[in-house]
Amino acid sequence: MFVNTPPLGWNTWNTFGANINEELILQAADAMIETGLKDAGYNYVVIDDIWALKERDQNGRLVPDPQKFPHGMKYIADYLHQRGLKFGMYSCAGYLTCAGYPASFEHEWDDAKSFAEWEVDFLKYDYCFHPVSVRADILYKRMGLALANCGRDILFSACSWGSDHTRRWIKETGASMWRSTGDIMDSWTSIRDIAQSQLKVMEYNGHGCFNDMDMLVVGMNGQGNVGLTGCTYEEYRLHFSLWAFMNSPLMIGCDVRQMDDQTRSILTNREILAINQDPDGRSPFFANSHVFTPAENRGPDDAFYKDYPLDTPILAKYLSNGDIAIGLFNLSDTEASMWQTTITFDMLGLPATSGKTLELHDLWNGEVIRAVNGVIQIGSCPAHDCRVFRAKVVDAD
Ligand code: GAL
């Protein structure tokens, strides 16, 4: 299935881990509607690992745990579909899922058939306990082909954590998104480490198959399955903004039934979501002005990025209406300096001879900054915070 924009939704794993059941899924779906998440675009409701019985039935089919899901999976699909939501499930390319439940190796076509019968719309496909005798790309192709022939549109969400050079082959498999990192935890260091690693694989992103930086921890506040220290409001805001800028699918991981106002205001910031969902789906690029990178220096990944300011990346992304999204993400532990917050037009592809300048609208506080002398001075950006703008090209006078 081909997608033009990164999928948006909610997934059980980050907060609930093994503690999932029908009631939770239905309540989460209701909450997504009542809190405005659905209206903001989040439409996938995804059941992650630990939903099945430990053994297949006598026909080799996966069996939903009847204690957790007494009415089976089609019942959940119907509930979600009646409310305009979509249904996601989870399996794995190995013998077992990561939590030790039956997985799809040598059952790919049977399982694709089950998912189609249950009217599933999305399959997250993990990589634990995989056979080492079969190449990674072949394992994902086996399920990609099975899904493409199951008689239903099922979005294929690959989750091999970027290992075995996933980026080189993932687009061949039919996947619409690929996990380009290991698992996120609810802490600042986890967010920062993923962000810095993902800045190095931005160019593999794009239409049809998006880099998946893992599910959001916004609003977890240290609670739940991957809850650690929790983060500040500013850190969550940066996390959300950066994932959005990088075209990552945005899968909410907190308990949507009990979001506080700050959490909701972050997750439903329409202008940030519009950057993520821009119909052109262009990759972001570095716009830090004090880094000079002649085109001929563009070697493979690490060589290319070694001089880049991974502590204070400034990203720009061309949008479909001619605007430019611009974001400064302060991943360092100190206030950003003037050098780190100044952008020259040449990095954005805007010539002085254009007779144009940029007017920047801050997407978190509404402030408007106008560029002067072909230079944008963003001003202050504290540690672990961000400044995110939509820049409009306007007449210079
Ligand atoms: C991991 C995966 C997580 C979650 C977990 C379930 O491999 O990265 O997102 O799905 O397995 O066991």
Side-chain angles (χ1 to χ4, degrees), residues 280-312:
D280 278 4
R282 304 215 176 277
S283 287
F285 56 92
F286 281 98
N288 296 69
S289 294
H290 62 295
V291 180
F292 179 59
T293 307
E296 62 270 22
N297 281 3
R298 293 186 176 212
D301 307 342
D302 280 346
F304 175 37
Y305 287 113
K306 81 178 171 16
D307 294 329
Y308 269 88
L310 297 180
D311 277 347
T312 53

Side-chain angles (χ1 to χ4, degrees), residues 319 322-326 358-361 376 389-393:
L319 303 175
D323 293 352
I324 310 173
I326 298 174
L358 292 173
E359 191 179 83
L360 278 69
H361 296 254
I376 302 162
F389 306 91
R390 191 171 183 117
K392 298 198 169 300
V393 180

Side-chain angles (χ1 to χ4, degrees), residues 87-371:
F87 183 26
M89 286 193 69
Y90 165 100
S91 188
C92 175
Y95 291 96
L96 296 175
T97 72
C98 298
Y101 287 74
S104 295
F105 180 60
E106 291 296 13
H107 295 275
E108 290 89 350
W109 285 65
D110 276 346
D111 291 352
K113 189 167 173 235
S114 295
F115 294 130
E117 282 171 12
W118 298 338
E119 297 193 6
V120 166
D121 305 296
F122 175 110
L123 180 68
K124 173 173 171 181
Y125 205 53
D126 219 330
Y127 196 45
C128 286
F129 300 108
H130 62 86
V132 286
S133 57
V134 184
R135 264 177 15 209
D137 65 306
I138 301 289
L139 288 172
Y140 279 84
K141 284 177 176 127
R142 287 162 68 117
M143 185 49 101
L145 190 63
L147 289 176
N149 285 280
C150 76
R152 186 173 172 82
D153 268 349
I154 299 184
L155 190 153
F156 189 26
S157 164
C159 182
S160 55
W161 325 298
S163 52
D164 294 326
H165 311 290
T166 310
R167 62 182 183 266
R168 294 191 189 151
W169 46 261
I170 194 62
K171 290 182 183 173
E172 302 160 5
T173 68
S176 296
M177 53 194 267
W178 65 286
R179 262 281 287 286
S180 40
T181 163
D183 287 18
I184 197 168
M185 305 297 282
D186 181 23
S187 73
W188 167 251
T189 48
S190 176
I191 290 170
R192 184 202 55 207
D193 293 350
I194 289 178
Q196 293 183 327
S197 71
Q198 297 305 293
L199 288 164
K200 299 179 182 178
V201 291
M202 283 194 304
E203 66 267 39
Y204 295 94
N205 221 318
H207 270 310
C209 193
F210 293 97
N211 293 17
D212 173 6
M213 293 168 65
D214 204 0
M215 299 165 295
L216 301 172
V217 294
V218 177
M220 288 185 64
N221 300 318
Q223 305 296 311
N225 188 37
V226 306
L228 279 185
T229 53
C231 299
T232 65
Y233 168 73
E234 288 75 17
E235 289 166 347
Y236 282 141
R237 184 169 74 167
L238 177 149
H239 164 41
F240 180 71
S241 305
L242 185 55
W243 266 232
F245 252 74
M246 303 272 283
N247 297 343
S248 178
L250 302 174
M251 292 288 165
I252 297 169
C254 69
D255 184 350
V256 287
R257 300 168 308 171
Q258 15 188 323
M259 282 184 294
D260 55 32
D261 288 345
Q262 283 195 337
T263 301
R264 186 160 57 165
S265 72
I266 293 175
L267 294 173
T268 58
N269 184 319
R270 299 286 182 123
E271 292 172 297
I272 304 282
L273 285 166
I275 291 172
N276 180 260
Q277 296 290 301
D278 188 76
D280 278 4
R282 304 215 176 277
S283 287
F285 56 92
F286 281 98
N288 296 69
S289 294
H290 62 295
V291 180
F292 179 59
T293 307
E296 62 270 22
N297 281 3
R298 293 186 176 212
D301 307 342
D302 280 346
F304 175 37
Y305 287 113
K306 81 178 171 16
D307 294 329
Y308 269 88
L310 297 180
D311 277 347
T312 53
I314 296 177
L315 299 181
K317 179 179 167 184
Y318 284 177
L319 303 175
S320 57
N321 70 343
D323 293 352
I324 310 173
I326 298 174
L328 163 65
F329 303 93
N330 189 351
L331 302 172
S332 80
D333 295 331
T334 52
E335 162 100 32
S337 70
M338 185 272 286
W339 283 90
Q340 290 165 326
T341 56
T342 302
I343 311 172
T344 53
F345 278 10
D346 59 327
M347 296 304 285
L348 299 170
L350 184 62
T353 49
S354 64
K356 302 288 182 186
T357 188
L358 292 173
E359 191 179 83
L360 278 69
H361 296 254
D362 188 308
L363 304 184
W364 286 112
N365 66 21
E367 196 185 321
V368 178
I369 300 176
R370 210 174 152 92

